[in-house]
Amino acid sequence: MKILICISNVPDTTTKIKFVNNNTAFDTAGVQWIINPWDELALTRALDIKDAQAGTIENITVINVGLHDTEPTIRKALAIGADKGIRINADPKDAFFVASQLAEVIRKENFDIIMCGIESSDYNGCNVGGMLSELLEMPSVSSVSFLDIQGGQVSVTREIDGGQETVATQMPFIAIVQKGIAKEPRIPSMRGIMGARTKPLQVTEPAPADSLTEFLGYELPKPKAACKKVDPDNVKELALLLHNEAKVI
Amino acid sequence: MSVLVYTENWDGKFKKLSFELISFANEIAKKLNTSVVALSIGKVEDDELKKLGNYGAAKILSVTNDKLAGLNNQAFTSVIAQAVAKENSTVILFAHNNTGKAIAPRLSVRLKAGLATGVTSVPSDTEPFTVTKKTFTAKAYANVVIKSPVRILTLLQNVFGIFESPVSATIEPFNPELKETEFKTEVKEINKVTGKLLLTDAEIVVSGGRGMKGPENWGPIEELATLLGGATACSRPVSDEGWRPHSEHTGQTGKIIAPDLYFAFGISGAIQHLGGISGSKCIVAVNKDPDAPIFEAADYGIVGDAMKVLPELISAIKEIKAG
Ligand SMILES: Cc1cc2nc3c(=O)[nH]c(=O)nc-3n(C[C@H](O)[C@H](O)[C@H](O)COP(=O)(O)OP(=O)(O)OC[C@H]3O[C@@H](n4cnc5c(N)ncnc54)[C@H](O)[C@@H]3O)c2cc1C
Ligand SMILES: Nc1ncnc2c1ncn2[C@@H]1O[C@H](COP(=O)(O)O)[C@@H](O)[C@H]1O
């Protein structure tokens, strides 16, 4: 079985968000780039399954649409344990563009399971996984919090509002994963880091594709008014403020 | 032309988000000089369907086919695409929740319609079609133009509000064509909490963090939530420790909520936690550390011991409720 994991390259989650060029572009100065947390967990889960069932999974590939500067992120995925990396050499303009590029490459290879994260932590799209499945006309299961392979069959659990569903699916399929898929991301070992240098990282040129949306500019949230502090010995005051002033109770 | 809304029900009753979506759609329809059509999939009684008219839905397409009892992304996409064709819809709305995130991107490709997700307000402009959406886990907002003639939006929950705008709605049974080849996934088992308020639907949320020390101290948090008709929530370490169920975890990696009132007891206010709650209209923080970052996000705060404040707050609110 072959697994493909789509990874996006995002700013570290603690990055202070600033914009430049009259608020039309994200300020990348000093930003640490990481594998999007969901994609890192997807990779962790794929490796866990590979380790638990020797022979079931022959290959785990990671793929990214990005310019040359995303290579350290792809190398990190190889260091964690992926067997092969692919980079499609293009600036990820919008989700439809990214999904179209991924679909182009995936059509030429046979993957049994394709994993995407539910969303990238930068543009919060929640788009690429679903778009890719439609482009490939494959079944998709979204909000996946558990995935396992037993006797060649996959079983997945997905989150719904107020609960979970166990879903059976045909393969190939796309799992769009979220919280729960793995607990903590794997950390590359020294051996992994050394090995990653010699693992294949294939670079392919993009195909012509449209983009359907365009980001014009950004705004930071309005600063909040200062917090009104209430004396801990006068809790009743808080209740009265919430009732009379904020009118929320 | 029309604005089409994908509504959702919970055991035959519409979720709050459906009314919010119709209210939102109504505002967009006014801008475009058109009307709102709601699509309902599942068994919902006519009386319940009619409620959508209170918020401005002029027509309600009701699909009751048993084959659509469980969410199937491909088949649902087909059903909605057929509704779009029939109603000549140019704007299609979903909630920014598990279902919206599952179907909207597929529909976007099927119709080659641009998609903006996590939208926070009505389009500032319709030509070009410009909306504001959440980015960088709510640390910023972006203005996005959708370039295609048909547009799809997912609306961030609880940001727009619910507004009455009654029209007499016509209910129309809708029997879309279903293709066998689109049923490649099958729901085997459903495990959902019933009879409990959905965290994402709650107007008041009472949340506890690691400062609550252990699961045995959650009694007053639950009591306060019940007293206010709200739901309980927690920070990530609390659900990781197993003190509370995972479904209660709020934040960047958990549920994103925007209630009218959010109580944070013993929560430090890490950036990842704030990412899930900063849309709340009023935030109340109780923390014994005066420098805890939660106070920067809070509207009201007490620097003090949550264990001591909770029972006093409960009795003060009981007094107010008693008049
Ligand atoms: C990629 C990533 C994603 C994450 N996603 C999330 C997420 O979605 N949601 C989330 O919540 N976290 C998330 N986290 C974790 C987050 O960074 C914080 O570690 C977490 O939110 C802290 O939880 P806490 O406030 O309950 O605990 P702590 O940070 O330990 O804070 C406890 C607080 O309680 C106070 N306190 C102690 N005793 C009392 C008392 N008796 N009375 C009153 N106050 C008291 C302390 O002063 C302190 O401020 C994420 C982290 C990462 C790296
Ligand atoms: N540039 C990219 N290259 C490869 N995969 C991506 C890229 N952008 C997004 N993805 C995948 O799509 C998921 C959702 O991303 P998004 O739609 O951007 O929120 C991510 O978790 C990745 O799995």
Side-chain angles (χ1 to χ4, degrees), chain A residues 193-215:
Chain A
I193 296 168
M194 302 300 285
R197 293 191 195 148
T198 54
K199 284 183 180 169
L201 199 172
Q202 172 194 330
V203 179
T204 56
E205 289 307 316
D210 292 338
S211 66
L212 300 175
T213 57
E214 190 183 331
F215 281 71

Side-chain angles (χ1 to χ4, degrees), chain B residues 241-283:
Chain B
E241 292 286 342
W243 297 357
R244 298 297 295 174
H246 280 288
S247 56
E248 287 195 359
H249 155 202
T250 49
Q252 183 188 319
T253 50
K255 292 219 165 61
I256 299 186
I257 56 171
D260 291 336
L261 176 59
Y262 182 79
F263 286 97
F265 290 99
I267 294 178
S268 60
I271 186 107
Q272 296 92 353
H273 186 79
L274 297 180
I277 60 122
S278 56
S280 309
K281 298 207 178 63
C282 179
I283 297 175

Side-chain angles (χ1 to χ4, degrees), chain A:
Chain A
M1 226 179 256
K2 283 163 72 183
I3 299 185
L4 178 74
I5 297 158
C6 303
I7 58 173
S8 60
N9 177 54
V10 298
D12 180 87
T13 53
T14 56
T15 305
K16 185 145 174 43
I17 304 301
K18 287 179 292 189
F19 300 98
V20 289
N21 296 347
N22 212 359
N23 284 339
T24 57
F26 172 56
D27 183 1
T28 54
V31 170
Q32 291 264 21
W33 296 91
I34 59 167
I35 306 173
N36 185 41
W38 303 126
D39 310 344
E40 197 177 19
L41 291 177
L43 174 59
T44 302
R45 182 64 197 150
L47 289 165
D48 285 349
I49 298 173
K50 191 180 175 194
D51 290 352
Q53 303 173 42
T56 310
I57 292 164
E58 54 190 278
N59 178 286
I60 298 174
T61 303
V62 294
I63 188 165
N64 169 261
V65 180
L67 296 175
H68 184 73
D69 52 2
T70 68
E71 285 200 1
T73 300
I74 304 173
R75 285 275 175 222
K76 182 170 176 206
L78 296 176
I80 293 172
D83 300 299
K84 179 185 165 189
I86 303 174
R87 180 171 70 82
I88 304 174
N89 187 30
D91 186 20
K93 282 187 213 111
D94 88 330
F96 184 75
F97 175 86
V98 169
S100 306
Q101 298 306 337
L102 294 170
E104 240 355 88
V105 172
I106 297 169
R107 280 194 195 104
K108 291 179 205 136
E109 264 186 77
N110 292 320
F111 294 101
D112 303 278
I113 301 176
I114 298 166
M115 294 170 93
C116 283
I118 186 89
E119 74 176 333
S120 300
S121 61
D122 48 5
Y123 297 101
N124 301 122
C126 305
N127 289 338
V128 171
M131 287 182 175
L132 181 61
S133 11
E134 188 66 25
L135 286 165
L136 297 169
E137 294 179 45
M138 273 186 197
S140 59
V141 186
S142 186
S143 303
V144 169
S145 58
F146 176 80
L147 185 151
D148 203 5
I149 303 172
Q150 292 291 345
Q153 297 281 59
V154 277
S155 74
V156 291
T157 302
R158 91 161 147 236
E159 298 295 306
I160 54 170
D161 287 3
Q164 279 114 27
E165 285 177 355
T166 314
V167 180
T169 173
Q170 296 176 15
M171 279 194 275
F173 88 109
I174 301 202
I176 301 165
V177 310
Q178 62 155 48
K179 177 184 154 69
I181 188 72
K183 264 215 156 80
E184 291 292 330
R186 278 202 194 188
I187 298 168
S189 65
M190 207 53 211
R191 242 185 78 212
I193 296 168
M194 302 300 285
R197 293 191 195 148
T198 54
K199 284 183 180 169
L201 199 172
Q202 172 194 330
V203 179
T204 56
E205 289 307 316
D210 292 338
S211 66
L212 300 175
T213 57
E214 190 183 331
F215 281 71
L216 292 185
Y218 301 88
E219 294 159 29
L220 291 171
K222 289 174 198 68
K224 262 205 134 160
C227 173
K228 209 175 241 185
K229 294 272 172 63
V230 176
D231 187 337
D233 294 324
N234 193 4
V235 175
K236 197 173 168 190
E237 167 79 13
L238 175 63
L240 289 170
L241 282 168
L242 295 176
H243 183 61
N244 299 323
E245 190 179 84
K247 300 197 181 352
V248 282
I249 59 172

